[in-house]
């Protein structure tokens, strides 16, 4: 194993300048070895040290992990953070009400005193990345199972993380890269006092909504603003009115100069997940199971929810964030399946596998080292097929698709305590422990009910239970479904009506009454809790079955990636995205999506007006924006030709998690905020398509124009560093 590790790392260190400039999500500590020469030949004026440095301020110190799944960038010396509107959407929604509808009307703090604290929202800075592959692999010697391997990795990772953060307020984790063949320690600093500063109305921030999502040309002002607050020593602190704006090590200067085709552009951020080493069997699984199921189930659920949202402002506000999160990957699944077929991705993967097998046949040692890789993957994917299908249906329709089931499942630990946990503590502690558990569950339920509408959930539940029953074989269904067939003669509407009528979880009044005098017996007899328990047991059985196959898959995948690295020694390879900070570089670039069709690299406010449809909520244009357009009151943010830019595209390699990432020019200046990919390359997480892959960004000049001319919040412009 040790010899293998050294061979592998040797191959990795040789991977550099032959890669396409526009492909790859690269690790920052390796830029000097792999990428900087190519980047500078494309026009970059900075050094690798200017981008990533442990000892000095650098661009990475202006990049944050925003919340739990996005990226943001610091754009002023007072901790002002820019991210996407859809990344800040949950926060905007949480502060909205019928009386203060920030989703519909937007929000702008005209002073720091008006900036709104947002509990639960955090931003995280990367402190450093350290290669710990040799340390980890030294502990992975000998013949060990995949389960044993995982336990060792976890234990060693915990030890390394603890040592790295000793006597600091940082946190750290060890992540695997290159299919589990390399390991890096990542150290972070998190700030939890983050306040909402500004957001355009959804008619700007989500203009085009589902129809335009993933589509170019695009005309969306997808941005929002927040501010980081710290204690008087500039350290992370929980919310306090005494906290002050954070002073960053670095903030991004902003360029308002015109963009030209071919201009250098790089994106730094936290791409969530790619599967570029996916095999043909996995492509088929994604196409026929994962994507197809998600698109079908969510399409039905979203139609029900949207009908209620359009009928009531209260329901619209409650479900805005949930609907947006669901619909984003509903459309992604549809687009990815179309791209997988159109671009013949499965055939491309089969060709790569054939080349790999041919390479193995040429050498006995290779065959011994990597010969079982593809058979392990193939057999695992085929073996888990039925369980993956059933598990996805269970999650999409019941466990996450029906909200009351999700709430009832949270009571499982509380039930265990009521049923047997009190025997383990003294009488003196029982009252205190009960009060603590009741309060904890009540706080969780309060957050749930804030964004819950029982009639909507009931409609969804009737559709979702039927969907699960019709599409999952009976032998894989929870015991609950046998009861519905027996006691309700298979009438799901009648069963759902009874569940919502009788469950304590259907509304807060019933649940609060139960919590006044909770008992295990009452919970056990509650129909929603019983349903959640039955569904939970079935989910555990699926996980056990899938886990058996996944152990073999993980081994096969690790060996396959290791073999590819050795096979392609001397050629550049980057690890799959795993929500660690990466850099991708490319150019501002147009493209030809199909025969006789050309898409320019930039869109303007004129296009917003052309798309306007006052009868379609997705394409409503605010009156003030129309007035600004008619008067050409664009300030210093217009292009030289007098038009107002809105969005632009580059050929940077991005994925989910890059939302909110800064698009930076050759001088290290901010030119845009990435927010989407394009329809023609929806297979990009699986295979990079250089002719089609584009990153869609909101032009920073449109951001400044909306802040200044539309919102009148020039105080925010004044704290930025503008390069004119």
């Amino acid at each position: 194993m040790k010899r293998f590790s050294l061979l592998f790392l040797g191959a990795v260190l040789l991977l550099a300048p032959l890669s396409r400039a526009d492909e790859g999500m690269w690790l920052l500590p390796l830029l000097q070895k792999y990428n900087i020469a190519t980047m500078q030949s494309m026009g970059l004026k900075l050094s690798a040290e200017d981008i990533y440095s442990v000892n000095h301020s650098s661009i990475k110190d202006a990049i944050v992990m925003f919340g739990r799944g996005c990226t943001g960038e610091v754009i002023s010396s007072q901790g002002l953070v820019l991210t996407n509107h859809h990344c800040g959407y949950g926060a905007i929604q949480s502060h909205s009400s019928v009386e203060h509808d920030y989703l519909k009307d937007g929000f702008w703090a005209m002073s720091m005193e008006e900036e709104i604290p947002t509990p639960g929202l955090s931003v995280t800075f990367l402190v450093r990345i350290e290669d710990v592959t040799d340390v980890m692999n030294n502990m992975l010697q000998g013949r060990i199972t995949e389960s044993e391997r995982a336990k060792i990795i976890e234990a060693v990772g915990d030890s390394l993380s603890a040592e790295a953060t000793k006597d600091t307020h940082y946190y750290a984790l060890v992540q695997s890269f290159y299919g589990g063949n390399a390991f890096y320690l990542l150290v972070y600093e998190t700030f939890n006092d983050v306040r909402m500063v500004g957001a355009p109305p959804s008619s700007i921030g989500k203009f085009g909504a589902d129809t335009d999502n993933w589509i170019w040309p695009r005309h969306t002002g997808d941005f929002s603003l927040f501010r980081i607050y710290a204690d008087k020593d500039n350290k992370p602190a929980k919310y306090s009115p005494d906290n002050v704006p954070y002073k960053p090590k670095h903030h991004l200067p902003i360029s308002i100069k015109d963009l030209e085709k071919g201009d250098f552009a790089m994106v730094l951020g936290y791409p969530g997940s790619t599967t570029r080493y996916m095999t043909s069997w996995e492509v088929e699984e994604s196409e026929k199971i994962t994507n197809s199921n998600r698109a079908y189930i969510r399409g039905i659920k979203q139609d029900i929810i949207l009908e209620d949202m359009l009928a009531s402002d209260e329901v619209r506000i409650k479900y805005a964030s949930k609907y947006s999160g669901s619909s984003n990957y509903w459309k992604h699944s549809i687009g990815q399946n179309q791209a997988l077929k159109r671009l013949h991705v499965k055939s491309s993967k089969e060709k790569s596998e054939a080349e790999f097998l041919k390479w193995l046949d040429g050498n006995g040692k290779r065959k011994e080292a990597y010969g079982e890789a593809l058979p392990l993957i193939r057999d695992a994917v085929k073996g888990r097929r039925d369980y993956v299908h059933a598990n996805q249906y269970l999650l999409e329709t019941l466990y996450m698709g029906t909200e009351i089931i999700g709430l009832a499942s949270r009571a499982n630990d509380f039930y265990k305590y009521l049923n047997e946990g009190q025997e383990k503590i003294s009488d003196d502690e029982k009252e205190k422990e009960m009060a603590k558990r009741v309060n904890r569950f009540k706080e969780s339920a309060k957050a749930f009910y804030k964004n819950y509408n029982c009639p909507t959930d009931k409609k969804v539940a009737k559709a979702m239970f039927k969907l699960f029953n019709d599409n999952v074989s009976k032998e894989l269904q929870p015991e609950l479904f046998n009861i519905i067939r027996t006691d309700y003669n298979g009438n799901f509407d009648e069963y759902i009506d009874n569940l919502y009528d009788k469950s304590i979880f259907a509304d807060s009044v019933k649940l609060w009454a139960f919590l006044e005098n909770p008992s295990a017996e009452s919970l056990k007899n509650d129909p929603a809790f019983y349903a959640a328990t039955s569904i939970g047991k079935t989910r555990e059985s699926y996980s056990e079955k899938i886990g058996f196959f996944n152990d073999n898959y993980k081994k096969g995948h690790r060996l396959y990636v290791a073999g590819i690295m050795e096979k392609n020694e001397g050629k550049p390879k980057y690890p799959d995205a795993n929500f660690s900070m990466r850099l991708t570089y490319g150019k501002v670039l147009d493209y030809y999506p199909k025969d006789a069709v050309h898409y320019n690299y930039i869109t303007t406010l004129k296009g917003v007006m052309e798309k306007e449809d006052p009868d379609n909520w997705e394409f409503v244009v605010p009156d003030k924006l129309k007035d600004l357009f008619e008067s050409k009151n664009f300030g210093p943010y217009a292009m030289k030709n007098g038009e107002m830019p809105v969005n632009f595209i580059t050929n940077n390699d991005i994925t989910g998690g890059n939302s909110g990432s800064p698009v930076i020019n050759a001088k290290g200046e901010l030119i845009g905020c990435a927010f989407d990919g394009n329809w023609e390359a929806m297979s990009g997480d699986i295979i990079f398509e250089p002719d089609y892959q584009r990153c869609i960004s909101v032009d920073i000049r449109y951001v400044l124009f909306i802040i200044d001319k539309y919102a009148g919040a020039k105080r925010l412009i004044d704290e930025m560093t503008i390069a004119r």
Side-chain angles (χ1 to χ4, degrees), residues 129-142:
I129 305 176
E130 180 182 340
D131 186 350
V132 294
T133 303
D134 285 341
V135 175
M136 187 66 75
N137 281 346
N138 283 338
M139 303 300 293
L140 296 171
Q141 302 292 328

Side-chain angles (χ1 to χ4, degrees), residues 109-231:
M110 293 303 171
S111 67
M112 287 185 179
E113 289 71 27
E114 293 182 6
E115 295 173 358
I116 305 177
T118 306
L121 179 61
S122 65
V123 300
T124 299
F125 289 90
L126 174 67
V127 178
R128 71 176 191 274
I129 305 176
E130 180 182 340
D131 186 350
V132 294
T133 303
D134 285 341
V135 175
M136 187 66 75
N137 281 346
N138 283 338
M139 303 300 293
L140 296 171
Q141 302 292 328
R143 291 183 175 275
I144 54 176
T145 66
E146 289 304 302
S147 296
E148 291 169 338
R149 179 183 175 87
K151 289 177 182 177
I152 293 170
I153 290 171
E154 182 179 6
V156 175
D158 288 347
S159 176
L160 291 171
S161 298
E163 181 63 27
T165 57
K166 186 178 180 181
D167 299 325
T168 74
H169 60 275
Y170 299 148
Y171 83 91
L173 71 158
V174 171
Q175 287 184 267
S176 66
F177 295 78
Y178 298 101
N181 291 289
F183 301 88
Y184 285 83
L185 171 75
L186 299 98
V187 181
Y188 294 107
E189 181 179 37
T190 296
F191 289 78
N192 292 304
D193 186 356
V194 181
R195 306 183 192 181
M196 189 167 79
V197 175
S202 293
S203 53
I204 293 174
K206 283 181 69 68
F207 183 77
D210 291 337
T211 298
D212 272 7
N213 194 17
W214 306 102
I215 301 293
W216 182 260
R218 197 74 180 272
H219 299 84
T220 308
D222 195 348
F223 78 93
S224 57
L225 296 166
F226 293 79
R227 193 183 304 279
I228 308 166
Y229 280 76
D231 66 16

Side-chain angles (χ1 to χ4, degrees), residues 247-265:
K247 295 179 176 59
K249 296 176 183 176
H250 182 77
H251 70 274
L252 296 179
I254 294 169
S255 171
I256 58 173
K257 297 177 182 177
D258 274 5
L259 301 179
E260 302 292 344
K261 178 180 175 179
D263 282 353
F264 177 85

Side-chain angles (χ1 to χ4, degrees), residues 1-2 326 386 548 572 644:
M1 289 294 290
K2 186 173 182 179
S326 175
D386 291 344
F548 169 78
M644 185 68 238

Side-chain angles (χ1 to χ4, degrees), residues 228-244:
I228 308 166
Y229 280 76
D231 66 16
K232 60 182 176 59
D233 297 318
N234 209 39
K235 293 289 192 294
K238 63 182 180 180
Y239 168 78
S240 168
D242 297 328
N243 286 347
V244 295

Side-chain angles (χ1 to χ4, degrees), residues 30-70:
L30 304 179
L31 293 178
Q32 182 64 45
K33 292 178 180 178
Y34 293 179
N35 314 107
I36 201 67
T38 302
M39 293 167 68
Q40 290 172 342
S41 73
M42 295 171 62
L44 178 68
K45 307 300 183 186
L46 308 176
S47 67
E49 184 80 1
D50 292 328
I51 298 170
Y52 173 82
S53 176
V54 175
N55 300 314
H56 307 285
S57 67
S58 57
I59 287 178
K60 67 98 172 162
D61 296 315
I63 315 302
V64 298
M65 187 188 300
F66 186 86
R68 291 177 291 178
C70 280

Side-chain angles (χ1 to χ4, degrees), residues 290 293-299 301-302 326 329-330 333 389-402 460 464 467-468:
T290 310
N293 288 351
R294 184 186 293 124
Y296 179 56
I297 297 167
R298 292 192 184 187
K301 179 172 64 175
Q302 287 162 196
S326 175
Y329 272 88
W330 159 75
S333 297
H389 168 77
N391 188 57
Q392 187 180 21
Y393 254 88
L394 183 139
L395 291 175
E396 290 277 356
T397 62
L398 307 180
Y399 200 75
M400 296 187 301
T402 306
V460 171
M464 294 298 102
L467 266 185
F468 183 86

